[in-house]
Amino acid sequence: MSKVVISNAPSPPPPPSSQAEGSEADILPGLRTSKRVLRAGNGAVVTEGSTVVVHALGSVAGSKFWSTKDPGEEAFEYTAGVGEVITGWDHGALGMRVGEICELLIPSEEGYGEDGFPAWGIPPNVTLKFELECLAVFSPGGGSNGGDVTQQV
């Protein structure tokens, strides 16, 4: 007869971006946004409060509204997990690794909602598709203008 041990210790968190490259999209816990890893990364992990630099391609109904790879555009830098970007993106990027590319499908209520974003031609109540490529992660409080570089490509 085997002995069963029950522990009240919390389970360890899953590894960042544990989703297999090219697998089906997963719904983010507590949200309706889905995430699919297109290319796995192997660098530093995006955590709440870290400064992140990404390339981003945003589209709605198959039409691009923004790309940091367009002429004259630059990679986008923001602080992760603190509400500087729309909810679906903010939560979807947490756990990414430097070098990773993912696709986020963000429903209206976790995107620009009933107001849309007219300046970019985003109508109200639409699902957004973002492709994010994590280029660099800086330790919390850091950034491209200062702070410790955790890792960048």
Side-chain angles (χ1 to χ4, degrees):
M1 180 180 238
S2 61
K3 183 177 178 182
V4 176
V5 178
I6 299 174
S7 171
N8 288 329
S11 336
S17 295
S18 58
Q19 184 184 50
E21 184 174 321
S23 65
E24 292 295 317
D26 288 331
I27 302 296
L28 300 176
L31 298 175
R32 293 185 52 224
T33 294
S34 67
K35 177 180 180 178
R36 183 168 61 105
V37 175
L38 303 176
R39 182 182 78 200
N42 59 6
V45 178
V46 175
T47 59
E48 188 174 309
S50 58
T51 299
V52 185
V53 181
V54 297
H55 270 310
L57 169 64
S59 60
V60 62
S63 295
K64 175 180 74 171
F65 59 81
W66 180 49
S67 174
T68 60
K69 292 185 177 183
D70 283 350
E73 294 290 326
E74 295 181 2
F76 181 72
E77 181 177 312
Y78 72 101
T79 304
V82 298
E84 287 186 4
V85 293
I86 57 175
T87 300
W89 171 330
D90 211 12
H91 290 270
L94 291 173
M96 285 184 76
R97 292 183 173 274
V98 170
E100 180 177 322
I101 298 175
C102 76
E103 177 184 271
L104 301 173
L105 291 179
I106 304 171
S108 175
E109 65 273 15
E110 294 166 12
Y112 294 108
E114 60 187 32
D115 294 330
F117 194 63
W120 283 1
I122 300 171
N125 303 314
V126 295
T127 296
L128 304 171
K129 179 178 174 181
F130 276 97
E131 184 176 293
L132 303 179
E133 178 181 5
C134 185
L135 302 174
V137 175
F138 299 87
S139 60
S144 61
N145 295 322
D148 298 328
V149 174
T150 303
Q151 185 173 17
Q152 61 187 29
V153 245

